[in-house]
Amino acid sequence: MQYKALYITELDGVFTKEIKHLESQELKPDHVRIKVLFSSLNYKDALSSTGNKGVTRNYPHVPGIDAAGIIEESRSSLFNNSDEVIVTGYDLGMNTDGGFGAFIDVPAHWVVKKPSNLSLKDAMLYGTAGFTAALSVKKIVDHGVKPESGKILVTGATGGVGSIAMGLLSHLGYQVVAVTGKEQLKDQLIQNGACEVLHRDALTQLGAKMLAKPMWIAAVDTVGGDFLASAVKSTDYAGCVTCCGNVASPDLMLNVYPFILRGVTLYGIDSVQCDMTLRTKIWDLLSEEWAITEKFKFVETITLSEIESRIEMMLEGKHSGRTILEHHHEK
Ligand SMILES: NC(=O)c1ccc[n+]([C@@H]2O[C@H](COP(=O)([O-])OP(=O)(O)OC[C@H]3O[C@@H](n4cnc5c(N)ncnc54)[C@H](OP(=O)(O)O)[C@@H]3O)[C@@H](O)[C@H]2O)c1
């Protein structure tokens, strides 16, 4: 069977993207073949598409760390043909061909049955970004932070993880301070649930001292580097900060004072290897009490031919919100 995919090839260190017809192979035992109806664009896809060996070691390769679709063929007792399913994380789109192809073959244990009150498209409106945002928010809730405890800081607020974290927090009644480099989107951030918008530079200035004035009780950091350090230094007593991303920098220049004088907790967030019990719990929350896709302000649905331009925008830091890829299958 032939299917269309964004195909990345490498020749002498030069990486080329093209839309190509690929041929599916025989399905392996304990694997399922999924007809992908929707995928979504994440920062990792942009890295994989441009030859970042930290994400994808071997090329040719089909990126796409998210996929939602229908089981086309199953060699596992866990799934039957026509089941509606979601795959995010594990090795999808990294060294296993991903959701920027119209079909994927994956181990059955990576696959989540779609909750009945969530559409396949809404599952990808969240995608890895929403799943990671929900993991971050759950850490803050489980830490015991209540809406009345104080404000919550969110960095990279116009990005995928940041905008959904902000939406979830405001849905749960928290007051959110959004940090952005795109001040022209301030009104949209307010509409999306921010009670305050802070320019990136204002946050990094807080990091100049060993410990800053306490400004918030928790933070969802999606960018790393000096932003994460500043977020930790300005978090109030017994608060917490979640760390999931490195778009600004993977480095962390910090001292121990926020931890030993204020009892601040820094939580690492990993959506890739997250265990299936928590994974299912998060998807259930996103489909029920935490369902917010109706409130999403920055959403664009595109076809495969448009994905290259969105990848470029993401790499240039010009991308905002969620980009959903819809595969059109011939009947
Ligand atoms: N740990 C995990 O399991 C996991 C899962 C998903 C994503 N991630 C990581 O989380 C991060 C965010 O992912 P995403 O999908 O939300 O990406 P995204 O949509 O590209 O958003 C990132 C946002 O960060 C801000 N930003 C961009 N460049 C920056 C810079 N140089 N300095 C400071 N801020 C900058 C921008 O927001 P503003 O203009 O509003 O500031 C941008 O919209 C990435 O590093 C990604 O790899 C990790």
Side-chain angles (χ1 to χ4, degrees):
M1 181 183 54
Q2 282 210 330
Y3 63 96
K4 264 190 188 175
L6 178 74
Y7 194 66
I8 315 294
T9 49
E10 176 181 13
L11 185 64
D12 299 332
V14 177
F15 295 86
T16 309
K17 307 183 197 68
E18 63 177 312
I19 309 288
K20 199 171 168 176
H21 280 96
L22 302 179
E23 190 74 45
S24 50
Q25 309 295 311
E26 191 186 338
L27 189 64
K28 291 182 194 154
D30 299 317
H31 280 55
V32 291
R33 175 159 301 152
I34 300 169
K35 180 199 260 193
V36 181
L37 299 187
F38 298 98
S39 179
S40 82
L41 180 62
N42 293 275
Y43 190 68
K44 232 183 207 175
D45 302 320
L47 296 178
S48 168
S49 301
T50 47
N52 185 307
K53 297 278 173 135
V55 178
T56 302
R57 283 187 307 276
N58 302 311
Y59 293 81
H61 175 63
V62 177
I65 63 170
D66 288 342
I70 297 168
I71 299 283
E72 175 82 4
E73 187 182 341
S74 175
R75 293 196 66 190
S76 157
S77 58
L78 297 174
F79 294 97
N80 297 312
N81 285 7
S82 304
D83 284 349
E84 293 190 309
V85 293
I86 305 166
V87 188
T88 64
Y90 296 103
D91 192 45
L92 187 69
M94 295 180 69
N95 291 292
T96 302
D97 282 354
F100 294 175
F103 284 87
I104 54 170
D105 288 1
V106 292
H109 72 267
W110 293 2
V111 180
V112 175
K113 270 200 180 124
K114 179 187 75 61
S116 57
N117 40 3
L118 183 72
S119 70
L120 288 169
K121 186 169 182 180
D122 278 0
M124 290 295 98
L125 272 174
Y126 294 122
T128 289
F131 183 78
T132 306
L135 281 174
S136 309
V137 171
K138 190 160 188 314
K139 274 280 184 231
I140 290 172
V141 172
D142 291 350
H143 189 79
V145 176
K146 305 260 184 313
E148 59 275 18
S149 308
K151 293 176 183 169
I152 316 284
L153 183 79
V154 175
T155 63
T158 67
V161 181
S163 64
I164 302 177
M166 217 169 63
L168 289 171
L169 287 162
S170 98
H171 174 74
L172 296 173
Y174 293 92
Q175 287 203 301
V176 178
V177 179
V179 178
T180 186
K182 304 185 189 85
E183 276 200 314
Q184 70 277 16
L185 297 182
K186 184 174 175 178
D187 290 347
Q188 280 167 295
L189 286 167
I190 301 275
Q191 280 175 41
N192 199 17
C195 68
E196 234 175 274
V197 177
L198 200 64
H199 191 272
R200 274 182 208 166
D201 298 344
L203 178 63
T204 45
Q205 278 164 19
L206 292 177
K209 294 185 183 158
M210 297 294 265
L211 203 56
K213 184 178 151 208
M215 309 268 287
W216 20 77
I217 188 64
V220 174
D221 176 63
T222 70
V223 301
D226 291 345
F227 301 92
L228 174 56
S230 298
V232 172
K233 289 179 182 181
S234 52
T235 293
D236 208 345
Y237 193 81
C240 67
V241 177
T242 64
C243 153
C244 74
N246 60 353
V247 284
S249 169
D251 297 328
L252 185 56
M253 294 291 286
L254 200 50
N255 61 76
V256 298
Y257 294 128
F259 308 112
I260 65 171
L261 297 182
R262 289 209 183 129
V264 169
T265 303
L266 178 58
Y267 289 114
I269 301 294
D270 172 48
S271 63
V272 175
Q273 299 293 334
C274 167
D275 76 73
M276 200 37 100
T277 309
L278 179 58
R279 199 175 276 275
T280 311
K281 171 77 189 161
I282 293 288
W283 282 114
D284 285 345
L285 281 172
L286 289 172
S287 71
E288 291 170 4
E289 301 108 277
W290 291 15
I292 55 157
T293 48
E294 277 177 18
K295 296 183 190 159
F296 280 16
K297 294 282 183 289
F298 317 113
V299 177
E300 174 187 44
T301 305
I302 61 164
T303 58
L304 198 55
S305 61
E306 296 166 290
I307 194 84
E308 271 196 64
S309 63
R310 302 315 186 275
I311 289 170
E312 297 310 325
M313 282 172 71
M314 188 165 256
L315 289 168
E316 289 165 15
K318 293 181 184 156
H319 182 262
S320 60
R322 297 291 293 141
T323 296
I324 306 304
L325 168 64
E326 181 167 8
H327 286 287
H328 294 282
H329 290 266
E330 282 154 26
K331 295 255 155 61

